[in-house]
Amino acid sequence: LKFLFVGALLFGTFGIFQAFYLPNFALILHPEATPYFDWDPQGHRLVSTFLDPNLGGCLIAIFIILAVAFYIHGIEQRKTLVAFTVLSAALILTLSRGSMLSLICGLLVLMIKRPVSRRYVALTCVVALVGMLLWGFISPLIVRYSRFQITDASAMSRLDTWLVNLAIIRDHLLLGVGFNFFGFIAGRYGYFNWGATAFGGTGGILFVAVMTGVAGVVAYIYLMLKALALARRVEMGSDLFAKALAQGVFAATVAWLVSSFFTSTIFYPFTVEIMWILWALLSSLESSNRMLQNG
């Protein structure tokens, strides 16, 4: 878990540096790319090594939630507060509304599991302070990218994708269109995409239904419920560390699924692998607890 946090902090710290000093980082690394078709010119938004603010924001949100879970349980509070501060600055610099919404959903789940306390107030003050320090830098970007609106081109493109997803699901309800066939089928529904994302799409569970139909959605939801049930079982244990980790992973799973409606996080290997490792840690804790109980 420490290695995961170190990785997330390196990701966020480099991303902060990149946001200030390496604008349009994806196009710097891929000068041959066609802007908007292969890689978007993201300006001074944080993209870090994922080269995308939404995917990067999802990873950052996962570890903010874990840091909050440990902090409110009183575990490694100084270290988790440092991690929370750095990652909060990084998330703000993504200017990703989907990532921030997914973070809010995850934190609401966490607050339901762990009632409001003075520690939440302390974390809120940290976020406010970080936001004030970054305001002079991000305020022009917020205006430029219309981050206070929900009717801009970015938001409307996601709405268009959701509507196309629903239309394809209606016509291919049982088994979907198959993996990697979205790019071939979507043109029939008036949706055309080019470049690096030609065969990908967003929509979370909706996109699962596009590819694999009702059968795939049922299987996928079953797997997610198994992961959430695992977190719930570990949470019921008496160990404080296990409880904090389980609550954090439960909330992070919810945030990860919410984020997938705005970008392809549930299909992106580097976020999927993180969730696999977190679920595996819970499974290991459960196995250890069972061995102890059995003597």
Side-chain angles (χ1 to χ4, degrees):
L1 193 61
K2 288 181 179 179
F3 279 114
L4 291 178
F5 265 104
V6 169
L9 285 170
L10 289 173
F11 180 90
T13 302
F14 171 75
I16 293 171
F17 173 83
Q18 165 266 307
F20 278 95
Y21 300 109
L22 297 172
N24 296 321
F25 186 53
L27 296 177
I28 292 175
L29 295 182
H30 301 279
E32 77 289 349
T34 303
Y36 297 105
F37 291 104
D38 295 319
W39 296 101
D40 291 339
Q42 300 287 2
H44 283 278
R45 295 175 69 183
L46 183 148
V47 299
S48 195
T49 54
F50 285 3
L51 308 184
D52 183 275
N54 302 297
L55 295 172
C58 176
L59 177 74
I60 292 166
I62 288 170
F63 284 94
I64 288 177
I65 291 170
L66 291 173
V68 171
F70 285 116
Y71 183 82
I72 62 177
H73 282 85
I75 298 172
E76 300 273 6
Q77 283 192 305
R78 289 184 180 180
K79 293 180 180 179
T80 52
L81 186 60
V82 170
F84 175 82
T85 304
V86 172
L87 294 173
S88 294
L91 185 66
I92 290 171
L93 289 171
T94 65
L95 297 180
S96 170
R97 291 167 296 188
S99 298
M100 293 179 186
L101 177 61
S102 65
L103 174 65
I104 291 170
C105 292
L107 292 178
L108 287 175
V109 171
L110 203 56
M111 290 176 69
I112 292 172
K113 290 179 168 294
R114 185 79 172 183
V116 176
S117 67
R118 288 177 296 178
R119 290 169 179 166
Y120 282 114
V121 177
L123 295 176
T124 303
C125 292
V126 169
V127 172
L129 178 60
V130 170
M132 290 171 59
L133 292 173
L134 292 175
W135 181 250
F137 179 77
I138 65 172
S139 56
L141 302 179
I142 292 174
V143 175
R144 178 181 177 183
Y145 294 107
S146 305
R147 295 294 96 176
F148 283 142
Q149 301 179 19
I150 58 173
T151 57
D152 58 285
S154 176
M156 290 298 99
S157 67
R158 287 182 171 84
L159 179 60
D160 289 342
T161 304
W162 295 341
L163 292 175
V164 169
N165 287 343
L166 290 172
I168 295 175
I169 292 168
R170 179 194 61 208
D171 295 339
H172 304 81
L173 185 63
L174 185 60
L175 296 175
V177 300
F179 284 103
N180 291 331
F181 275 86
F182 177 75
F184 293 105
I185 300 297
R188 303 178 186 176
Y189 295 84
Y191 183 87
F192 297 95
N193 211 355
W194 297 270
T197 60
F199 294 91
T202 57
I205 300 298
L206 288 179
F207 198 65
V208 174
V210 166
M211 293 191 297
T212 58
V214 172
V217 169
V218 170
Y220 194 86
I221 291 176
Y222 172 76
L223 291 173
M224 291 301 100
L225 290 177
K226 289 272 287 184
L228 294 174
L230 170 64
R232 181 60 179 164
R233 291 196 302 272
V234 175
E235 179 188 348
M236 300 303 291
S238 58
D239 180 74
L240 189 62
F241 173 83
K243 185 181 292 292
L245 179 62
Q247 290 183 359
V249 173
F250 190 105
T253 302
V254 172
W256 179 63
L257 291 171
V258 172
S259 177
S260 71
F261 282 92
F262 303 95
T263 191
S264 54
T265 49
I266 60 174
F267 306 108
Y268 189 59
F270 300 113
T271 54
V272 175
E273 289 164 359
I274 292 296
M275 297 310 302
W276 280 347
I277 294 171
L278 292 174
W279 295 331
L281 289 174
L282 292 184
S283 180
S284 178
L285 281 173
E286 184 183 43
S287 297
S288 298
N289 290 337
R290 189 181 298 117
M291 288 177 64
L292 291 172
Q293 291 172 1
N294 294 333

